[in-house]
Every structure is written in C-alpha cells, then in structure tokens.
Amino acid sequence: MSKIGKTPITLPSGVTVKVENNKVIIQGAKSKKELIVDQSILKVIVADNKVSLEPVDKKNANKLTWGLHRSLINNGIIGVSKGFEKDLKLTGVGFRATLQGKKIIFQLGFSHDVHYDIPEGIEVAIDKQTAIKVKGIDKELVGKVCADIKFLKPVEPYKGKGITSSDQFVLRKEGKKK
C-alpha cells in the first residue's frame, strides 16, 4: 500500500477538479491545468470536496505509480490556487541580471553577456539586479527554469561566486596555505 497515494487531497476554495476520459482537469483562480492519468491503472474519485486515487488492480504493479500521480495532482491543485515561487541569488563582483522583455540578460564575469529566454507560463521578477524571483503554476517547470539559470554559472567552493537558490547550502573550501 502506498502511504502517499491513499491519503485524499482536500480541495481549497475556488478550485474544481473534473475527470474526463484520461484527463484530470484542475481549474483554479490562477489558471487551468490538465494532467493525464491512465484510467485502466488508477481510478480518480472526486467527492465531498476531496480527490482520492485508487489502483484498479491492487495486486498488480500498477500501484507503483499511485503515490506519484497523487503528488502530481496535489502539485497541480497547489499550483492553480497559490502558485510556486523560487528565489535565486547572484553572488560575485559585477554579477547582475536585467530583464528585457521575455529575456534575462546576465553579466556573469564572462567576456560576453549571457541571454536566457523565459519559457511560456513563467514569470520572472528581478530585485536589486542580484535577486531573481521565478514564479509559475507548474512546479516542474519552475524547478527546471531555476536549474537552467543555476547551470549558467555554478557556485565555486572557494569564494562562493555563482548563482544559488535561497535554500541551497554551499560547502566552502579553504584555500592554499603558505
């Protein structure tokens, strides 16, 4: 039995969930999201302001994806009601970012500027040229955008220069001794 999969999801106010064919349609205040759930493996039940999932065959390997699909539906519900947000920080002398339309232009100590195109469904806000806020309704897409931006200039362990997220711990190394 899946500990995560068997717990029902309580719907917040303003969020509706419909099941049509193999799609779970989540409608909320921020947006609308569709997820694909194979009805031959898992059965999605919407009743009494709660969403629950049950595997069709409890003795089969189908229940392996039970907790995964429950988490994906829960993330969709949180996304359309509140949204997801991650903070990034640029650390280093001369490191800065500016927003220009649907592009972020980074100055990261290279001989050239680095341009990053913002994907559809993502909002970016830049404070003080060194703090970046990435917002969106899709948790996976927000995480991917943050990972792509952090990959532009990974943190080096000696001086701590680079792009970090707010919850990231950087293990600092000691330099050479004389």
Side-chain angles (χ1 to χ4, degrees):
M1 292 291 281
S2 173
K3 291 180 183 179
I4 296 171
K6 66 182 175 183
T7 57
I9 305 166
T10 305
L11 293 176
S13 61
V15 177
T16 58
V17 176
K18 296 178 195 168
V19 181
E20 296 177 359
N21 299 332
N22 283 341
K23 287 186 180 179
V24 177
I25 302 167
I26 305 166
Q27 184 83 33
K30 290 199 177 261
S31 185
K32 177 181 177 181
K33 183 165 173 82
E34 293 184 3
L35 298 168
I36 297 173
V37 176
D38 192 2
Q39 294 288 329
S40 64
I41 297 173
L42 292 169
K43 186 169 48 171
V44 180
I45 302 162
V46 180
D48 298 333
N49 209 21
K50 290 188 178 191
V51 178
S52 58
L53 281 83
E54 285 185 15
V56 174
D57 186 12
K58 292 193 180 198
K59 294 182 180 177
N60 198 347
N62 294 343
K63 63 183 182 179
L64 294 175
T65 61
W66 190 8
L68 167 74
H69 282 87
R70 190 250 183 222
S71 294
L72 291 175
I73 292 172
N74 189 35
N75 287 341
I77 290 171
I78 293 170
V80 298
S81 62
K82 297 177 193 170
F84 292 100
E85 181 177 308
K86 280 198 168 191
D87 297 327
L88 299 174
K89 189 172 84 173
L90 278 72
T91 307
V93 177
F95 286 16
R96 64 181 132 247
T98 55
L99 194 60
Q100 193 175 59
K102 292 294 279 179
K103 278 188 175 183
I104 305 173
I105 300 171
F106 291 100
Q107 293 175 344
L108 300 172
F110 300 125
S111 62
H112 58 282
D113 292 346
V114 179
H115 298 268
Y116 181 78
D117 293 323
I118 301 168
E120 198 66 35
I122 294 293
E123 299 172 18
V124 174
I126 297 177
D127 303 330
K128 302 184 294 182
Q129 296 181 339
T130 58
I132 302 169
K133 254 185 214 306
V134 180
K135 300 178 190 173
I137 65 162
D138 191 2
K139 186 175 185 177
E140 183 180 354
L141 188 59
V142 169
K144 183 186 180 318
V145 168
C146 287
D148 289 346
I149 290 174
K150 284 168 46 175
F151 185 72
L152 296 175
K153 186 72 173 182
V155 180
E156 56 97 14
Y158 294 101
K159 292 185 180 177
K161 293 172 25 174
I163 303 173
T164 60
S165 58
S166 60
D167 56 347
Q168 181 178 353
F169 176 74
V170 178
L171 184 65
R172 299 284 301 269
K173 291 184 179 177
E174 189 176 341
K176 277 170 73 172
K177 293 183 182 178
K178 288 186 178 184

